[in-house]
């Protein structure tokens, strides 16, 4: 059996090595290192793949979220609702822009935004909602969009973990995750489902005016060379990263299918085990792209299991160990523990297993056998 990796970037690289080398050579010989034709071509190809009018590449996923909020013109004091159970970047940019983060609980099965909690959290100051498609599963966007419409709120999708996932509306129409709200943000961090070999990110929107505004924001607030109309940032995707992303984008569906196959094998092996809750998929088969495969260990043995797996050469992760409302940077007297029952519990129960495009059957077999060995005794 090959050594088990949490994310096998090297194994995947080996399969596309020649193409990457050719693309890198091209970029190096034409020396358009930033915002050149390579970046533009990637932008067009991603727009086509996602079925979205505008993709604006930028430096990373955190910038993408921040720039989306700047583009919408959110102002200090505006309340922005997001989930307590996510990577800190989501709430970080809200706080950085001096907006008021309003953290709410998630659903225990999907780990995504709790619609009842969302309804309760809306005040006259609420301006935007940031659903996070956590671990690769699209949030309940139909409900989120309905609430946003009723209250005249913006929806900013944090799609860092679910690129390529589809959302199916009640009427059967499908839309790609990240293209449903007013604006979407994604990350091309190497371990993400569409990862480059450094940092990268992008913003998506179907709104022409917003796209225009955002293209200026990413470039120092410039709409005409050396005319700075708004306070912007400097956030760019470089051409070498775009070359990697161009090589990988045509493989994204295959990559996501590989993840789904591995997820199904994990679930088949672990389903029905007492004290183990396997990931619940609520939508259609294409609504979850398994950025992470996350179990809940309900008998209090999660931390012991992490240790046991590590001792057996099996890497694993706890995403996330501390609810955001309890993080020093984001704690606030507005918050009440009784409003975070699910997140508080998930932080004690979740464990993410190795998940990537190169997982092999004997590895899955070994991992699931070790898990059962430990959890059942
Ligand atoms: C990775 C991630 C981000 C941030 O992306 P970076 O490219 O690392 O800045 C934001 N939100 C979520 C949910 C993420 O998983």
């Amino acid at each position: 059996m090959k050594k088990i990796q949490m994310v096998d970037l090297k194994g995947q690289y080996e399969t596309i090595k020649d193409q990457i080398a050719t693309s890198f050579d091209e970029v190096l010989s034409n020396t358009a290192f930033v915002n050149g034709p390579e970046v533009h071509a990637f932008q067009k190809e991603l727009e086509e793949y996602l079925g979205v009018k505008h993709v604006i590449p930028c430096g990373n996923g955190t910038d993408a979220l921040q720039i989306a909020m700047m583009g919408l013109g959110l102002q200090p004091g505006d309340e922005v609702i997001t989930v307590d159970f996510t990577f800190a970047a989501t709430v970080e940019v809200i706080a950085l822009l001096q907006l008021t983060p309003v953290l709410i609980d998630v659903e225990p099965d999907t780990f995504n935004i709790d619609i009842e909690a969302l309804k309760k959290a809306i005040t006259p100051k609420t301006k935007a909602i940031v659903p996070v498609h956590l671990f690769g599963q699209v949030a309940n966007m139909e409900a989120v969009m309905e609430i946003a419409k009723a209250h005249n709120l913006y929806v900013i999708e944090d799609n860092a973990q679910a690129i390529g996932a589809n959302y199916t509306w009640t009427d059967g129409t499908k839309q790609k995750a990240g293209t449903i709200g007013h604006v979407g943000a994604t990350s091309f961090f190497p371990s993400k489902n569409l990862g480059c070999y450094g940092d990268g990110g992008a913003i998506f929107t179907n709104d022409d005016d917003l796209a225009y505004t955002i293209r200026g924001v990413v470039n120092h607030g410039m709409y005409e060379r050396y005319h700075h109309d708004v306070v912007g940032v400097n956030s760019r995707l470089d051409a070498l990263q775009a070359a990697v992303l161009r090589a990988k984008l045509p493989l994204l569906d295959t990559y996501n299918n590989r993840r789904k196959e591995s997820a199904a094998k994990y679930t088949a092996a672990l389903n029905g085990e007492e004290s183990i809750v396997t990931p619940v998929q609520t939508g259609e088969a294409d609504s979850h792209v398994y950025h992470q495969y996350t179990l809940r260990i309900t008998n209090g043995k999660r931390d012991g299991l992490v240790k046991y797996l590590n001792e057996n050469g099996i890497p694993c992760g706890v995403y996330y160990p501390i609810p955001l409302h309890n993080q020093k940077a984001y704690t606030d007297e507005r918050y009440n523990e009784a409003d975070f029952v699910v997140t508080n519990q998930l932080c004690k129960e979740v464990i993410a297993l190795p998940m990537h495009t190169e997982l092999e059957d004997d590895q899955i077999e070994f991992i699931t056998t070790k898990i059962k060995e430990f959890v059942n005794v």
Side-chain angles (χ1 to χ4, degrees):
M1 186 178 70
K2 278 196 342 202
K3 186 174 183 301
I4 299 172
Q5 313 277 350
M6 190 65 187
V7 177
D8 189 359
L9 294 176
K10 192 165 162 41
Q12 192 192 62
Y13 167 63
E14 296 293 337
T15 67
I16 51 173
K17 207 172 170 174
D18 295 343
Q19 201 187 340
I20 300 280
T22 312
S23 303
F24 273 16
D25 267 353
E26 247 169 67
V27 173
L28 294 175
S29 58
N30 71 23
T31 65
F33 293 126
V34 169
N35 283 343
E38 198 70 21
V39 176
H40 192 69
F42 170 64
Q43 174 199 319
K44 291 290 162 202
E45 287 158 11
L46 188 57
E47 283 168 357
E48 181 147 335
Y49 172 83
L50 292 171
V52 72
K53 275 175 94 174
H54 305 282
V55 165
I56 301 113
C58 65
N60 58 68
T62 309
D63 278 5
L65 285 165
Q66 178 179 333
I67 292 158
M69 290 176 202
M70 292 171 78
L72 290 171
L74 300 182
Q75 295 298 319
D78 287 351
E79 291 179 2
V80 179
I81 300 173
T82 193
V83 284
D84 195 32
F85 192 58
T86 174
F87 181 54
T90 323
V91 68
E92 179 178 59
V93 299
I94 299 172
L96 261 179
L97 293 173
Q98 294 184 292
L99 312 172
T100 304
V102 177
L103 296 170
I104 63 170
D105 214 352
V106 294
E107 300 176 333
D109 51 354
T110 63
F111 312 139
N112 278 331
I113 192 164
D114 182 309
I115 300 302
E116 291 312 310
L118 170 59
K119 287 181 188 160
K120 263 182 55 188
I122 293 171
T123 76
K125 286 187 175 171
T126 308
K127 285 284 153 38
I129 309 166
V130 188
V132 181
H133 305 313
L134 203 72
F135 304 149
Q137 176 153 237
V138 195
N140 183 350
M141 288 306 290
E142 193 152 344
V144 170
M145 295 311 287
E146 198 178 301
I147 291 166
K149 199 168 174 199
H151 296 270
N152 203 18
L153 309 174
Y154 292 122
V155 174
I156 303 152
E157 293 175 75
D158 182 339
N159 195 35
Q161 301 189 1
I163 195 155
N166 280 305
Y167 182 73
T168 307
W169 294 77
T170 311
D171 71 4
T173 50
K174 285 182 189 284
Q175 258 180 299
K176 287 275 185 237
T179 69
I180 303 160
H182 300 86
V183 58
T186 203
S187 164
F188 304 124
F189 186 74
S191 64
K192 303 284 159 125
N193 289 36
L194 180 61
C196 57
Y197 294 168
D199 275 309
I203 303 140
F204 319 139
T205 185
N206 284 305
D207 180 328
D208 297 340
D209 294 336
L210 181 59
Y212 175 82
T213 305
I214 287 174
R215 284 187 209 289
V217 171
V218 296
N219 188 26
H220 303 290
M222 272 197 288
Y223 296 88
E224 196 185 322
R225 208 165 168 76
Y226 300 122
H227 293 248
H228 303 273
D229 295 355
V230 295
V231 178
V233 296
N234 166 29
S235 187
R236 305 184 277 228
L237 184 69
D238 71 66
L240 289 169
Q241 302 311 333
V244 174
L245 293 166
R246 287 190 75 195
K248 290 173 74 169
L249 180 59
L251 298 166
L252 178 58
D253 288 344
T254 308
Y255 287 159
N256 282 341
N257 284 334
R258 289 278 299 155
R259 289 172 177 273
K260 279 187 258 187
E261 283 162 21
S262 295
K265 287 172 192 165
Y266 274 137
T267 296
L270 296 170
N271 237 357
E273 293 293 320
E274 213 182 321
S275 315
I276 299 179
V277 182
T278 54
V280 175
Q281 182 164 346
T282 54
E284 310 257 319
D286 54 359
S287 69
H288 199 328
V289 292
Y290 291 96
H291 175 61
Q292 299 293 350
Y293 183 88
T294 301
L295 298 174
R296 291 173 56 188
I297 306 298
T298 57
N299 61 356
K301 294 174 98 174
R302 193 272 314 269
D303 290 339
L305 178 62
V306 169
K307 197 163 165 270
Y308 184 73
L309 293 181
N310 287 337
E311 283 164 5
N312 283 278
I314 301 168
C316 57
V318 172
Y319 313 117
Y320 298 92
I322 304 171
L324 286 176
H325 79 276
N326 284 336
Q327 295 282 3
K328 267 192 208 156
Y330 304 111
T331 186
D332 194 295
E333 59 195 15
R334 289 176 286 130
Y335 296 133
N336 182 345
E337 287 304 323
D339 292 327
F340 301 105
V341 173
V342 175
T343 300
N344 285 340
Q345 188 168 345
L346 291 177
C347 289
K348 296 193 190 95
E349 292 182 349
V350 290
I351 177 169
L353 304 185
M355 177 49 75
H356 51 79
T357 57
E358 314 303 312
L359 266 178
E360 290 174 1
D361 287 355
D362 58 347
Q363 296 178 317
I364 293 176
E365 167 82 35
F366 180 72
I367 295 164
T368 52
T369 303
K370 288 290 163 194
I371 292 172
K372 286 189 267 193
E373 234 173 64
F374 182 81
V375 173
N376 285 339
V377 292

